[in-house]
Amino acid sequence: MQQAYIQFEDVKKVYHMGEVEIPALDGVNFSIDKGEFVIIAGASGAGKSTILNILGGMDSLSSGRIFVDGQEISRYTSKELITYRRYDVGFVFQFYNLVQNLTALENVELATQICRDPLDVEQVIQQVGLAQRRDNFPSQLSGGEQQRVAIARALAKNPKLLLCDEPTGALDYNTGKAILKLLQDTCRKNGITVIVITHNLALAPMGDKVIHVKSGKIDSIEINEHPMDVSLIEW
Ligand SMILES: Nc1ncnc2c1ncn2[C@@H]1O[C@H](COP(=O)(O)OP(=O)(O)O)[C@@H](O)[C@H]1O
Ligand SMILES: [Mg+2]
């Protein structure tokens, strides 16, 4: 069978909390093409982060299969997962997680030291709009600027996938919008597959594909033939 670039097949995840079993994912199926800009939407607790963490090799699945670029990552050993996380996956979180005593530039450089084929750091810093702020420490940057550093850090690794878990969750409206625009532009310009989690449904029109998650299951999948530019979306 021909596999998509990313494919989830009947993926289940059960967390065990003492005697209690929490079915975080209950048979999840979807596929994503290379270079797609994908939104994963759903209420808090729906299972969005679990999907992204498993796809990013940060968490294991209980059953099912996951393919990425022809490899079945759900069969990876922990050693193979280290390599996968290091070379193939860029991750952006809600709370930036920058090293506080390194400048913007140094934070990005640090990440490139552990990868195979990094992009030019100066160029990436420029791409995210931080050329003027490259020598500032995180405490001297706004939230939006810190998130740009985090995006640059993830991009500089030249990953196959850019996974973003609520990247605008801690930002105000306009800053959040600018960050989403940067992610959408990056997807288009770099041809990288970008997946963004949000609980904001107003964002749905910007995705090539929108995967709606509800109680650990896929509720629906929308394909937008003409995804909207973020700057045209009001929410
Ligand atoms: N490490 C964990 N241990 C136990 N339960 C977890 C863990 N991570 C997530 N869960 C539970 O799994 C469900 C889905 O969580 P999550 O994927 O974080 O949802 P979302 O990101 O959509 O808010 C929730 O009920 C959550 O409490
Ligand atoms: Mg979450």
Side-chain angles (χ1 to χ4, degrees), residues 41-49 166 197-200 213-216:
S44 182
K48 305 182 298 295
S49 295
E166 308 256 8
I197 289 185
T198 179
H199 55 249
N200 189 344
V213 185
K214 194 175 173 182
S215 309

Side-chain angles (χ1 to χ4, degrees), residues 66-102:
I66 299 172
F67 297 89
V68 176
D69 194 14
Q71 302 288 316
E72 187 180 346
I73 66 156
S74 45
R75 293 171 65 118
Y76 275 176
T77 62
S78 56
K79 210 172 159 185
E80 288 170 318
L81 282 173
I82 292 173
T83 311
Y84 172 69
R85 283 197 301 267
R86 185 178 286 190
Y87 300 133
D88 295 340
V89 181
F91 230 110
V92 175
F93 300 94
Q94 185 174 348
F95 296 109
Y96 336 127
N97 304 315
L98 303 177
V99 181
Q100 295 298 316
N101 66 337
L102 297 181

Side-chain angles (χ1 to χ4, degrees), residues 15 17 22 24 42-51 59 165 197:
Y15 288 110
M17 302 278 282
I22 301 165
S44 182
K48 305 182 298 295
S49 295
T50 305
I51 289 176
D59 204 346
D165 193 345
I197 289 185

Side-chain angles (χ1 to χ4, degrees), residues 6-72:
I6 296 173
Q7 193 157 322
F8 270 55
E9 288 181 5
D10 200 23
V11 172
K12 296 185 181 169
K13 175 68 185 181
V14 181
Y15 288 110
H16 298 273
M17 302 278 282
E19 301 282 281
V20 185
E21 290 196 342
I22 301 165
L25 297 181
D26 189 16
V28 166
N29 295 282
F30 62 81
S31 63
I32 290 173
D33 292 332
K34 189 172 184 176
E36 259 189 320
F37 187 69
V38 179
I39 303 282
I40 298 184
S44 182
K48 305 182 298 295
S49 295
T50 305
I51 289 176
L52 220 62
N53 291 341
I54 291 176
L55 176 58
M58 292 197 299
D59 204 346
S60 61
L61 53 173
S62 304
S63 67
R65 302 201 298 173
I66 299 172
F67 297 89
V68 176
D69 194 14
Q71 302 288 316
E72 187 180 346

